[in-house]
Amino acid sequence: MKTIGILGGGQLGRMLALAGYPLGLRFIFLEREADCPAGQVAPVVVGDYADPAALARLAERCDLATFEFENVPVEAVQRLRERVPVHPSPFALLSAQDRLHEKTLFTDLGIPTPDFVAVASFIELQSACKRLGFPAVLKTRRLGYDGKGQVVIHSAAEMEPAWRAVNGVPSLVEQFVAFRRECAILGVRAADGREAFYPLTETHHTRGILSTALAPAPHASAALDTLARDYVKRILDRLSYVGVIALELFDCGDGRLIANEIAPRVHNSGHWTQDAGVCSQFENHLRAIAGLPLGDTTPHGYCGMVNLIGDAPALERLVSIPQARVHLYGKEPRPGRKLGHVNFCLPTAADREAAMRATLAILPPR
Amino acid sequence: MKTIGILGGGQLGRMLALAGYPLGLRFIFLEREADCPAGQVAPVVVGDYADPAALARLAERCDLATFEFENVPVEAVQRLRERVPVHPSPFALLSAQDRLHEKTLFTDLGIPTPDFVAVASFIELQSACKRLGFPAVLKTRRLGYDGKGQVVIHSAAEMEPAWRAVNGVPSLVEQFVAFRRECAILGVRAADGREAFYPLTETHHTRGILSTALAPAPHASAALDTLARDYVKRILDRLSYVGVIALELFDCGDGRLIANEIAPRVHNSGHWTQDAGVCSQFENHLRAIAGLPLGDTTPHGYCGMVNLIGDAPALERLVSIPQARVHLYGKEPRPGRKLGHVNFCLPTAADREAAMRATLAILPPR
């Protein structure tokens, strides 16, 4: 019976444990707070990622390890790796932590991505905007997720406030993409190179935070789905990746998909896989890192997910939504905080739409 | 956020916890061994059901309680009830613990059950067999489950060995029923009287232990399903029951169903509900005892379950079965021990049959 060590004890870690228990796996987390979402369902080594002693305590209690948070320091993963196998690799983690590495990876692999220029000073920002034109998007190279570390610049006058907003840290300027919708695709790769892909998923964001997801993405042609799979497959193969990866894409509406970013972990855009009659992204990530065969990824219906952000209706109301499968993370309400989500898997697209609408109708205003 | 206390830390408790975590519930178990199946996924008060101090420690750490094992002493439930609400009630537990009470309940409610005579001595056993004829079934009044405490008596010569086999404890003699198949139905009742029912399930046993289940039961007419629901509803209502109950039935093949026994808890015949696109028996039990609305019970396909008993194939092989959803309990192999189960929910009955056959083919011989 293997024990999996996980860096990070948030909801992704919690859901990894809940997906792994039925396989007879055990879990141990490293997190600063004992009563974190994962700590409510599994033991926790309380400590900091940067503390070698805490990492050693984790390593002693597990057979292999992974992470649930892409901003875990690469050094922590490298240190842990001296004691137990860790997947995905530090190289994969590094590629996702720095937008310049990430963009370079896309470009190298022939995956379309918005034109970009790396900037390290205000002068460079000015020259980048001149080259790329307005609107442009200024993004910090590191520590970006849920829309953090991003500013849209519409005119020359907005350059200075934008530069101040990112505290003048090393950044990228990207050309703004006029996309029709945002999508994401999840791929999973085992150590032996076998791969599986979930269908292209349509995602919607509210103030930078994922709010809803629909899978398969409505009206996505087979060609579009194949294109997305091809892109994520290139990344999996180049990184010799082991585990689940998410690729966020802009769908231009004309058959083109433009890569936005990757997340080297299970991802909010794949939470619908928990209730789709398939092997969930959480279980497939565990299978990949534990050397088990991958599971099926073709959903048994029209799937949808609604995030519960900031505040959530009473549990009584949530479980009263017909056909809803409720997932709460054991967190206290706080503005902008992901507290849980609701999944649907229904026989028609119309059923799904009605269920999502009914759910959104009872959410507190954001 | 409520914490549920559970008497008993076996696989049923483990699966209750895994079903309750996504609702934000927390769990605490009372069990003699810390490393029991539930203890791998939740905290445990290590102690005996009969120890008032252990019960007090459990009560201090939970808001309400239930049990996962019908042979927990009624006194323990009564003692716990002085401190926290406990569902189902001691009365329901008592009715299920003693076959004489159980049979009397069926008879009172007009639910057909095999003719029976209570016996407390060998003389009474002889007279009972004379009255009921052979074959007859001798069953101890208490502590029977998984075929334990049962002997079939085919002739007068078998009476004495049978009586010795049950150690001469208070028992029942039942007329042997020539049934076509065995079935079970699960009902759930909330404190406010609302009820839900899963479809009639066909069950197969190997040496008294459930080996496979099919739901909905193949070729069961709507009338048969309605009859089963009516019977379990009578029991739920009479006992003012709160939680999930299982009613095991003999299907005579001529439209009649004959009640065999009840289990006042989640039940192995309902494990398929975990992967049927419905609210599982585990979640519905928790919803009922926590005062939440009940969830949907209509499966999204042809469901099947195969128990892993005594020894199980390697995890690699289990997860390689296409469409299989694997559930392991974290137990070491031992003859006759339930180690896990595999669920299917497939679009046709033929798909289900093929999947079940493929699974049975890789099981070690029993």
Side-chain angles (χ1 to χ4, degrees):
Chain A
M1 224 155 347
K2 279 182 183 157
T3 299
I4 316 277
I6 301 186
L7 296 173
Q11 64 264 18
L12 300 177
R14 176 186 173 101
M15 292 187 279
L16 282 167
L18 295 182
Y21 283 139
L23 300 183
L25 299 172
R26 298 190 185 203
F27 294 86
I28 176 86
F29 288 85
L30 176 61
E31 178 61 75
R32 283 186 206 90
E33 303 269 337
D35 195 42
C36 54
Q40 293 170 22
V41 309
V44 175
V45 171
V46 178
D48 201 282
Y49 305 140
D51 174 10
L55 289 167
R57 284 203 303 282
L58 181 75
E60 270 161 31
R61 293 177 63 181
C62 69
D63 302 299
L64 70 155
T66 187
F67 44 86
E68 58 115 51
F69 181 53
E70 76 263 42
N71 288 319
V72 61
V74 169
E75 300 70 33
V77 172
Q78 264 155 343
R79 187 162 281 137
L80 196 56
R81 246 195 164 192
E82 291 163 13
R83 293 164 174 266
V84 292
V86 185
H87 301 292
S89 72
F91 177 56
L93 182 59
L94 206 59
S95 306
Q97 280 184 349
D98 186 324
R99 287 190 203 275
L100 183 59
H101 291 208
E102 190 177 52
K103 290 283 190 187
T104 310
L105 178 69
F106 293 151
T107 310
D108 267 18
L109 293 172
I111 301 170
T113 191
D115 269 355
F116 66 94
V117 178
V119 296
S121 68
F122 185 63
I123 303 284
E124 287 179 10
L125 172 62
Q126 288 175 305
S127 118
C129 287
K130 194 166 177 186
R131 191 181 126 198
L132 298 171
F134 297 111
V137 190
L138 178 64
K139 297 181 175 182
T140 60
R141 279 176 57 176
R142 298 177 56 84
L143 302 177
Y145 68 98
D146 281 352
K148 288 174 190 165
Q150 298 198 15
V151 196
V152 181
I153 304 176
H154 299 89
S155 67
E158 287 179 19
M159 289 191 295
E160 224 205 295
W163 189 241
R164 263 186 281 117
V166 303
N167 294 315
V169 298
S171 298
L172 292 190
V173 182
E174 280 183 24
Q175 204 158 44
F176 185 86
V177 177
F179 53 84
R180 195 172 70 79
R181 61 174 172 182
E182 291 182 88
C183 289
I185 183 161
L186 291 167
V188 55
R189 185 174 177 279
D192 66 2
R194 273 188 281 190
E195 293 170 334
F197 304 91
Y198 294 94
L200 190 65
T201 298
E202 179 178 308
T203 55
H204 296 266
H205 295 77
T206 306
R207 285 193 281 285
I209 303 178
L210 186 72
S211 48
T212 60
L214 300 168
H219 316 297
S221 65
L224 200 73
D225 198 63
T226 303
L227 186 63
R229 283 175 198 230
D230 174 45
Y231 289 162
V232 73
K233 182 177 169 39
R234 290 184 207 177
I235 297 165
L236 288 172
D237 292 342
R238 169 63 64 92
L239 298 175
S240 296
Y241 196 88
V242 176
V244 164
I245 201 169
L247 171 61
E248 295 184 38
L249 296 155
F250 299 120
D251 176 1
C252 301
D254 56 3
R256 286 181 308 135
L257 291 170
I258 294 180
N260 180 20
E261 60 181 68
I262 52 175
R265 53 167 170 83
V266 288
H267 191 254
N268 199 165
S269 66
H271 288 359
W272 61 267
T273 63
Q274 292 173 309
D275 295 294
V278 299
C279 183
S280 76
Q281 65 164 343
F282 301 99
E283 184 175 336
N284 256 334
H285 182 73
L286 295 170
R287 288 191 189 203
I289 68 170
L292 295 168
L294 301 180
D296 49 314
T297 53
T298 306
H300 289 194
Y302 291 82
C303 301
M305 190 236 32
V306 178
N307 263 349
L308 306 173
I309 298 170
D311 200 1
L315 181 53
E316 288 72 9
R317 293 201 70 187
L318 288 173
V319 298
S320 300
I321 305 166
Q323 312 281 345
R325 310 303 312 137
V326 176
H327 299 264
L328 298 180
Y329 310 150
K331 289 161 137 185
E332 293 303 317
R334 194 166 75 193
R337 199 177 211 193
K338 290 179 180 171
L339 303 177
H341 65 274
V342 174
N343 282 338
F344 297 97
C345 180
L346 296 169
T348 71
D351 290 340
R352 170 175 67 183
E353 207 173 304
M356 304 271 289
R357 244 201 318 264
T359 305
L360 291 168
I362 69 159
L363 295 191
R366 290 186 196 160
Chain B
M1 230 161 335
K2 278 180 183 160
T3 299
I4 316 275
I6 301 187
L7 296 174
Q11 65 265 20
L12 300 178
R14 176 185 173 101
M15 292 187 280
L16 281 167
L18 296 182
Y21 284 138
L23 301 184
L25 298 172
R26 299 190 183 202
F27 294 86
I28 176 84
F29 288 86
L30 176 62
E31 178 61 76
R32 282 186 209 87
E33 304 270 335
D35 194 41
C36 54
Q40 294 169 20
V41 309
V44 175
V45 171
V46 178
D48 201 282
Y49 305 141
D51 175 9
L55 289 168
R57 284 204 302 280
L58 182 75
E60 269 160 32
R61 293 176 63 181
C62 69
D63 302 299
L64 70 157
T66 187
F67 43 85
E68 60 116 50
F69 181 53
E70 75 262 45
N71 289 317
V72 60
V74 170
E75 300 69 34
V77 172
Q78 265 158 345
R79 186 163 280 135
L80 197 55
R81 247 195 163 192
E82 291 163 12
R83 292 163 173 269
V84 291
V86 185
H87 300 292
S89 71
F91 176 57
L93 182 58
L94 205 60
S95 306
Q97 281 186 348
D98 185 323
R99 287 190 203 276
L100 182 59
H101 289 208
E102 190 176 52
K103 289 286 192 184
T104 309
L105 178 68
F106 293 152
T107 310
D108 268 17
L109 294 172
I111 301 171
T113 190
D115 268 356
F116 66 94
V117 178
V119 295
S121 68
F122 184 62
I123 302 285
E124 287 180 6
L125 170 62
Q126 286 174 306
S127 118
C129 286
K130 196 165 173 185
R131 192 184 125 196
L132 298 170
F134 297 112
V137 190
L138 178 64
K139 297 180 174 181
T140 59
R141 280 178 55 176
R142 297 178 56 86
L143 301 176
Y145 69 97
D146 280 354
K148 287 173 190 164
Q150 298 198 15
V151 196
V152 180
I153 304 176
H154 300 89
S155 68
E158 287 181 19
M159 289 190 296
E160 223 206 294
W163 188 241
R164 261 185 283 117
V166 302
N167 293 314
V169 298
S171 296
L172 291 190
V173 182
E174 280 184 22
Q175 203 158 46
F176 185 86
V177 176
F179 54 82
R180 193 172 72 78
R181 62 176 172 180
E182 290 181 89
C183 288
I185 183 160
L186 291 167
V188 55
R189 185 173 176 279
D192 67 2
R194 273 188 280 191
E195 294 170 332
F197 304 91
Y198 294 95
L200 190 66
T201 298
E202 179 177 307
T203 56
H204 296 266
H205 294 77
T206 306
R207 288 193 280 285
I209 303 178
L210 186 74
S211 48
T212 59
L214 300 167
H219 315 298
S221 64
L224 201 73
D225 198 63
T226 302
L227 186 62
R229 282 174 197 229
D230 174 43
Y231 289 163
V232 73
K233 182 177 168 40
R234 290 185 207 177
I235 298 165
L236 288 172
D237 292 341
R238 170 64 64 92
L239 299 175
S240 296
Y241 196 88
V242 177
V244 164
I245 201 169
L247 171 62
E248 295 184 38
L249 295 155
F250 299 121
D251 176 0
C252 300
D254 57 3
R256 286 182 308 136
L257 291 170
I258 293 180
N260 179 22
E261 60 181 66
I262 53 176
R265 53 167 170 81
V266 287
H267 192 254
N268 200 165
S269 66
H271 288 0
W272 61 267
T273 62
Q274 291 173 311
D275 295 295
V278 299
C279 182
S280 76
Q281 64 164 345
F282 301 99
E283 184 176 335
N284 257 333
H285 182 72
L286 296 170
R287 289 192 187 202
I289 69 171
L292 295 167
L294 301 179
D296 50 314
T297 54
T298 306
H300 289 194
Y302 291 81
C303 301
M305 189 236 34
V306 177
N307 263 348
L308 306 171
I309 299 170
D311 201 1
L315 182 54
E316 287 71 9
R317 294 200 70 187
L318 287 174
V319 299
S320 300
I321 306 166
Q323 311 280 345
R325 310 304 312 139
V326 176
H327 299 264
L328 298 179
Y329 311 150
K331 288 161 137 184
E332 292 304 317
R334 193 165 75 194
R337 201 178 211 193
K338 290 178 179 171
L339 303 177
H341 66 274
V342 174
N343 282 338
F344 296 97
C345 180
L346 296 169
T348 71
D351 290 340
R352 171 176 67 183
E353 207 174 303
M356 303 273 288
R357 246 203 316 266
T359 305
L360 291 167
I362 68 158
L363 294 192
R366 293 193 191 153

